[in-house]
C-alpha cells in the first residue's frame, strides 16, 4: 500500500474535485505545510504531492521511504532534481493543462494595456469625463492589436498557444532566440531584435540561472516606448525594480504582471508599491487558474500517480 501525502492542498481551490487514486493507498492531505513540518509529515510517505513546498536535498535525505514526487504544477524549481535522479526518486509534473487559460489571460492583459482600459477607468472615477463635457475624451493613447508585433520568449506549449491566438488577431509573431546565443535556430529571431521590434513582449520560459532577470534595465532600453511587457511565466524572469523604473520613465508604455519574485508579494515589492499606476496591471498568479484548467491539472496529477504505481511513470522531469 502506498502512503500518499499532499502537503499543500489549499493551492487547489476547494470547489475543484481531486479524484481518489485508483490504487490501494493511504491518503493524507494538509491545507498548508511550513518548512519545519515537512520532514515529520513525510516520514512514512512513499509518494508526496507538492505544488510550492520546497523539497531540497536536506529534506529528501530524511525521507527514506519516498519513491515519487508528484508536482501539482508545471514548474519544478522547488524540487532538487539532481538529488532525485541520484536516489531514484521519480518526479512527475503537470504538462499542457493551461494552454487555454494562460494565453487567454495574456491576451486579456494585452488588450487592457494597449487600449489603456485601467487608465480610462481611473479617469472616470476621478471625474475627468464630467469635466470634459463631451460624449468621450482621450486622455490615454489607444493602440490597435491587428498589425502589431508580438515577441514571445519561450516556444513551449504556452508560447505556441499564445502565438496561435495572436496570429488569429492579425499580429506578427516573433519567437526570441536564447539571450546571448551566437547562432539563431530556424523559427527564431535574435533576442535583441525581438525586443527592439515587439509591440508586445510576453514571457513563457522556465526560471533558471540562465533566465533569471532575463529582462532588466538594459533590455528595457532596447524596447519601444510604445511597447508593453506581459509576464505570466515566473516572477524571477523580470527585474521588478527595473520594470517599475521603465514605467515611471516611460521607457515602455505598460506592463501586465501575474507572477512575482516572492509570492504572496507584500508592500515591500516595488510592483505592489506602484500598483496605482494606470499602465500597470497586477494579478495574483491566476493566469493558469480557469476552472477547466485546474480540473485538468487535478485529473492529470492523480493519473501521474496511478501510472507510477502501475510501473509506467509518465510526465517525468
Amino acid at each position: 500500500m502506498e502512503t500518499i501525502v499532499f502537503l499543500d492542498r489549499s493551492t487547489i481551490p476547494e470547489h475543484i474535485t481531486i479524484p481518489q487514486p485508483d490504487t490501494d493507498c493511504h491518503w493524507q492531505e494538509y491545507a498548508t505545510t511550513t518548512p519545519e513540518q515537512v520532514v515529520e509529515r513525510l516520514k512514512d510517505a512513499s509518494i508526496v504531492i507538492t505544488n510550492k513546498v520546497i523539497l531540497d536535498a536536506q529534506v529528501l535525505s530524511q525521507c527514506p521511504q519516498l519513491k515519487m514526487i508528484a508536482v501539482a504544477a508545471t514548474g519544478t524549481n522547488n524540487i532538487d532534481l539532481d538529488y532525485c535522479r541520484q536516489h531514484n526518486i521519480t518526479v512527475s509534473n503537470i504538462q499542457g493543462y493551461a494552454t487555454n487559460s494562460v494565453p487567454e489571460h495574456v491576451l486579456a492583459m494585452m488588450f487592457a494595456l494597449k487600449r489603456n482600459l485601467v487608465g480610462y477607468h481611473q479617469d472616470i472615477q476621478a471625474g475627468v469625463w464630467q469635466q470634459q463635457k463631451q460624449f468621450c475624451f482621450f486622455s490615454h493613447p489607444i493602440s490597435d492589436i491587428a498589425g502589431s508585433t508580438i515577441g514571445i520568449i519561450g516556444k513551449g506549449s504556452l508560447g505556441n498557444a499564445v502565438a496561435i491566438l495572436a496570429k488569429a488577431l492579425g499580429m506578427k509573431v516573433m519567437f526570441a532566440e536564447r539571450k546571448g546565443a551566437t547562432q539563431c535556430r530556424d523559427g527564431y529571431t535574435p533576442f535583441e531584435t525581438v525586443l527592439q521590434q515587439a509591440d508586445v513582449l510576453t514571457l513563457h520560459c522556465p526560471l533558471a540561472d540562465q533566465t533569471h532577470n532575463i529582462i532588466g534595465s538594459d533590455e528595457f532600453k532596447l524596447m519601444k516606448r510604445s511597447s508593453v511587457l506581459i509576464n505570466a511565466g515566473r516572477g524571477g524572469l523580470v527585474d521588478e525594480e527595473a520594470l517599475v523604473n521603465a514605467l515611471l520613465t516611460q521607457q515602455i508604455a505598460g506592463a501586465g504582471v501575474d507572477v512575482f519574485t516572492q509570492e504572496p508579494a507584500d508592500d515591500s515589492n516595488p510592483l505592489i508599491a506602484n500598483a496605482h499606476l494606470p499602465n500597470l496591471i497586477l494579478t495574483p498568479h491566476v493566469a493558469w487558474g480557469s476552472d477547466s484548467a485546474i480540473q485538468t491539472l487535478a485529473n492529470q496529477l492523480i493519473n501521474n500517480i496511478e501510472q507510477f504505481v502501475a510501473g509506467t511513470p509518465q510526465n517525468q522531469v
Side-chain angles (χ1 to χ4, degrees), residues 138-155:
F138 296 99
S139 52
H140 305 279
I142 298 173
S143 301
D144 289 332
I145 297 300
S148 64
T149 297
I150 185 169
I152 303 175
I153 298 178
K155 203 178 181 184

Side-chain angles (χ1 to χ4, degrees), residues 103-119:
E104 289 183 10
H105 195 92
V106 168
L107 261 63
M109 283 185 156
M110 177 178 71
F111 275 108
L113 290 165
K114 297 300 283 184
R115 301 193 69 85
N116 269 299
L117 300 187
V118 173

Side-chain angles (χ1 to χ4, degrees), residues 297-314:
L297 179 153
N299 295 343
Q300 189 180 138
L301 174 69
I302 300 306
N303 188 246
N304 283 348
I305 293 173
E306 292 173 343
Q307 292 299 313
F308 171 78
V309 174
T312 54
Q314 63 183 15

